[in-house]
Amino acid sequence: MSAITCNTINSSINAYTPSGAKPWNVQRVRHLYNRLSFGASRQEIQAGITKTPAQLVDQLINAAIASFQNYGSYQTFHTQLSGDGSFDGNYHAFRACGGHFSRQAIENSVRAKMVLFWSGHLVVDNDVGDMPLFDYYYLLHQHAFGNFKDFVIEMGLSHAMLQYLGATFSQGSNPNENYSRELLELFLMGFEDKNGNDNYDQNDVVQVARVITGWWVHSDLNRNWAFNPKCHDWGSKTMMTTTQGGAGFTITPNPPSTPPAGACHLFNNGTAEADREVGHPIYNLGNIPFMTAAYQEYVNLHDQLFTVRADQIAWFICKKIYQYFVSNDTENNGAGTFIDALAQTFKNANWEIAPVLRQLFKSEHFFEETHIGVRIKNPWEFFTAVPNQGNITDSSSLNVYGLSAGAQAVGQTFLNPPDVSGWDGYRTWITQYSLVTRWGQYSNIIGSFNSTIIENFRQLAEDLTLAANNNDINALKSPQLIVEALIPHFFSVELQPAQIGKAVGALRGTLPPSYYEEGYWGLNFYPGAEGQIIDLILFFTRQPEFNLC
């Protein structure tokens, strides 16, 4: 494995400039792919090293952004995933979205990596209903690299979020505080800022809840919402006056006329309330005057929050991005200064996500040796590593449901985090139970490889061995040289000599020693050598270091 040397930890947000002490090499290209996506093939790494770091980062992010256009309209995407254009229940939608994500993790893994991040931040679970779940999954894709404020605005009134956090039953006379509390604490800013000062208080939770009243789930392919003006609180709301210096604000709704009076009921004797409006202020305006007014009030709330609490929101989100892509340690190695710089970029870019990602992945700080091979792979990173490293570009040749089953078995069920705070991650991914389960699930995944995939791995081993040994064909007869050539491709850190010896034993298998000593065996000609390579890769997945990226 090529060595990386670095004398000091650089917290600089400045673009990484390769040098003799910090070269742009295979290991750093792989580091970029491991963090920004779910891993890379040898072909991708070889192509990447011919570009500058900035060029490669832009290429990967630009391609991921552009790929959303391939999904077509909301209605087209829905039809593609549902098969017949409809869902028959939660499980069907959950399986369709999970299957699509599994394929994306192989074929479009930069986008998939961001979708997974946001699914653990703006959280719902898979019990919200079939159409709400699909709409939620589409929103994760639609806004993955876009504007964070727009993302939060649309997600807050999505069918899935209204259902998950109970806002669909929120009335002006009795507002439900679930979503407003999670919006402030988990989705936007956290209870405290980076210095330990309160960002909001209970009154703020109540006032935000008052804004989000009268909305109801109305799932259809036109992405419509439902709104009952009788159930909305049309009074003024004043908030953020007791924390962070007290520079609060007041939201005053502006209904088109006097709101209708009477009891708040979504349904009346089985018939929809006459005053209920159905439409969408973004996608399907129609005749929805009160909904439009309430939606403008809702948008004004977010405009004010993103102004009055801009510093707190930017720091909170950039800290989570840093922990997901760089390191869980946000207190050492210049992490705090780096996160501050990202937060400033986030604000300057008017809450666009892509500029933050570009700056992070192009930085000196990201490419420091101290950040390479120190993150524990989440289950999706773990189970998609070998397929991506093996250049399986067509997911149809792979049992993609084996990937999702593996991740689910060790605690990361896609679209179903354990609670509204998402997955804890980091060291919680590895326990005595989960480690053994990771091994067993990988056996299932690798055991499902077809003959074409298996041969691809044999060819990969041949290519890597020749490249590491000046194209000496005799190297293909040496299990030791083959193992030494494959380790840098599959690991971010070096293995101990004893592990390398055991890896050689795993490759040699049960064949008599004379086969190797007398030249009867060679990776390029021995029948069954491809199966021995698969045994070696399975051995790799059971090493502690394989859990690091």
Side-chain angles (χ1 to χ4, degrees):
M1 183 177 298
S2 57
I4 289 181
T5 58
C6 184
N7 296 323
T8 60
I9 304 304
N10 195 331
S11 64
S12 174
I13 198 74
N14 294 333
Y16 159 54
T17 301
S19 64
K22 194 190 297 184
W24 179 235
N25 56 14
V26 167
Q27 192 171 1
R28 280 198 167 84
V29 176
R30 183 179 297 111
H31 172 60
L32 173 62
Y33 270 99
N34 284 345
R35 299 299 181 81
L36 182 54
S37 71
F38 288 114
S41 66
R42 179 172 184 263
Q43 293 88 331
E44 289 170 319
I45 292 172
Q46 291 299 313
I49 206 168
T50 66
K51 304 178 184 299
T52 68
Q55 287 172 339
L56 183 56
V57 170
D58 283 336
Q59 173 187 302
L60 294 174
I61 293 177
N62 290 346
I65 292 172
S67 68
F68 180 70
Q69 301 303 319
N70 297 332
Y71 299 151
S73 68
Y74 174 83
Q75 292 82 358
T76 301
F77 192 44
H78 172 274
T79 301
Q80 290 173 347
L81 264 69
S82 65
D84 60 359
S86 64
F87 289 124
D88 59 10
N90 281 17
Y91 181 73
H92 187 182
F94 172 61
R95 184 173 172 83
C97 293
H100 180 269
F101 177 78
S102 298
R103 292 188 292 274
Q104 291 292 291
I106 302 301
E107 299 175 357
N108 191 5
S109 68
V110 175
R111 169 169 288 279
K113 193 71 170 282
M114 282 304 296
V115 167
L116 183 63
F117 170 74
W118 291 120
S119 74
H121 180 71
L122 296 170
V123 172
V124 304
D125 66 24
N126 62 6
D127 289 330
V128 294
D130 52 0
M131 285 292 291
L133 187 67
F134 174 81
D135 181 64
Y136 169 77
Y137 181 57
Y138 187 81
L139 288 175
L140 294 178
H141 279 282
Q142 182 180 9
H143 295 285
F145 297 90
N147 188 279
F148 178 65
K149 185 170 80 169
D150 292 345
F151 193 3
V152 173
I153 288 172
E154 189 160 6
M155 185 63 80
L157 291 182
S158 67
H159 311 308
M161 194 63 74
L162 288 172
Q163 191 90 334
Y164 179 54
L165 291 176
T168 190
F169 300 107
S170 187
Q171 306 176 12
S173 60
N174 184 28
N176 186 310
E177 298 174 8
N178 284 352
Y179 178 74
S180 61
R181 190 178 313 281
E182 309 308 355
L183 173 69
L184 298 178
E185 180 179 353
L186 298 176
F187 301 162
L188 283 187
M189 65 188 75
F191 185 69
E192 295 179 340
D193 66 11
K194 65 179 182 179
N195 298 315
N197 301 311
D198 290 353
N199 286 329
Y200 63 91
D201 61 17
Q202 174 58 25
N203 177 67
D204 299 324
V205 173
V206 173
Q207 300 308 309
V208 171
R210 291 177 60 207
V211 173
I212 311 171
T213 50
W215 296 92
W216 309 86
V217 171
H218 182 87
S219 299
D220 62 28
L221 280 174
N222 293 318
R223 308 185 75 179
N224 283 332
W225 294 337
F227 178 76
N228 191 331
K230 289 182 179 180
C231 301
H232 185 65
D233 186 332
W234 293 100
S236 296
K237 295 94 175 172
T238 299
M239 62 194 84
M240 301 291 170
T241 59
T242 64
T243 56
Q244 297 292 338
F249 57 89
T250 298
I251 298 293
T252 302
N254 185 27
S257 60
T258 302
C264 168
H265 299 292
L266 178 61
F267 292 96
N268 183 11
N269 296 324
T271 303
E273 184 75 43
D275 293 307
R276 188 185 67 156
E277 297 176 341
V278 175
H280 199 296
I282 301 175
Y283 304 111
N284 186 19
L285 189 59
N287 183 25
I288 49 173
F290 285 101
M291 178 190 288
T292 300
Y295 178 71
Q296 187 57 57
E297 178 190 5
Y298 173 77
V299 171
N300 289 344
L301 166 69
H302 288 79
D303 287 342
Q304 292 295 331
L305 288 174
F306 276 80
T307 299
V308 174
R309 292 290 183 270
D311 291 344
Q312 293 75 20
I313 293 172
W315 183 82
F316 181 73
I317 299 301
C318 287
K319 179 184 177 183
K320 291 198 71 169
I321 289 174
Y322 184 90
Q323 290 174 310
Y324 186 74
F325 288 110
V326 183
S327 172
N328 201 67
D329 183 358
T330 60
E331 297 181 358
N332 300 298
N333 299 327
T337 301
F338 187 80
I339 294 169
D340 286 342
L342 289 179
Q344 188 61 50
T345 296
F346 202 20
K347 292 185 294 181
N348 292 346
N350 195 29
W351 308 109
E352 291 292 327
I353 298 161
V356 174
L357 298 177
R358 294 182 197 276
Q359 188 173 43
L360 185 156
F361 288 108
K362 294 178 183 180
S363 70
E364 289 274 1
H365 185 76
F366 173 74
F367 286 103
E368 290 290 354
E369 180 183 5
T370 191
H371 296 139
I372 298 176
V374 297
R375 275 189 66 253
I376 296 174
K377 293 175 183 174
N378 66 47
W380 280 98
E381 291 171 323
F382 182 78
F383 289 114
T384 57
V386 166
N388 282 315
Q389 290 166 327
N391 196 34
I392 301 177
T393 57
D394 181 6
S395 65
S396 65
S397 64
L398 186 69
N399 177 16
V400 294
Y401 291 105
L403 303 178
S404 58
Q408 181 175 350
V410 291
Q412 196 175 30
T413 304
F414 183 59
L415 298 187
N416 196 31
D419 56 45
V420 70
S421 64
W423 296 284
D424 290 336
Y426 194 39
R427 291 194 175 99
T428 64
W429 290 131
I430 300 295
T431 65
Q432 184 177 6
Y433 164 78
S434 67
L435 192 59
V436 175
T437 305
R438 283 187 175 209
W439 299 343
Q441 291 295 324
Y442 236 130
S443 295
N444 295 336
I445 292 170
I446 292 177
S448 70
F449 286 173
N450 61 34
S451 59
T452 300
I453 293 176
I454 293 173
E455 169 57 23
N456 284 346
F457 277 102
R458 189 210 62 79
Q459 187 63 55
L460 171 64
E462 180 177 328
D463 293 343
L464 290 170
T465 303
L466 291 174
N469 292 276
N470 298 315
N471 289 316
D472 181 0
I473 196 72
N474 289 317
L476 300 179
K477 296 181 179 181
S478 169
Q480 179 78 29
L481 294 179
I482 293 169
V483 167
E484 291 175 353
L486 266 64
I487 286 174
H489 184 72
F490 287 96
F491 293 90
S492 296
V493 296
E494 295 182 354
L495 298 188
Q496 297 299 313
Q499 291 173 287
I500 297 174
K502 291 180 180 179
V504 172
L507 176 58
R508 291 170 66 106
T510 59
L511 289 178
S514 60
Y515 276 56
Y516 304 100
E517 296 166 357
E518 300 178 19
Y520 299 138
W521 184 91
L523 181 59
N524 57 329
F525 64 80
Y526 185 79
E530 66 277 10
Q532 291 174 267
I533 292 297
I534 294 299
D535 290 340
L536 174 61
I537 292 172
L538 187 58
F539 173 84
F540 283 167
T541 66
R542 297 187 174 194
Q543 302 312 296
E545 292 83 355
F546 191 78
N547 293 279
L548 300 175
C549 67

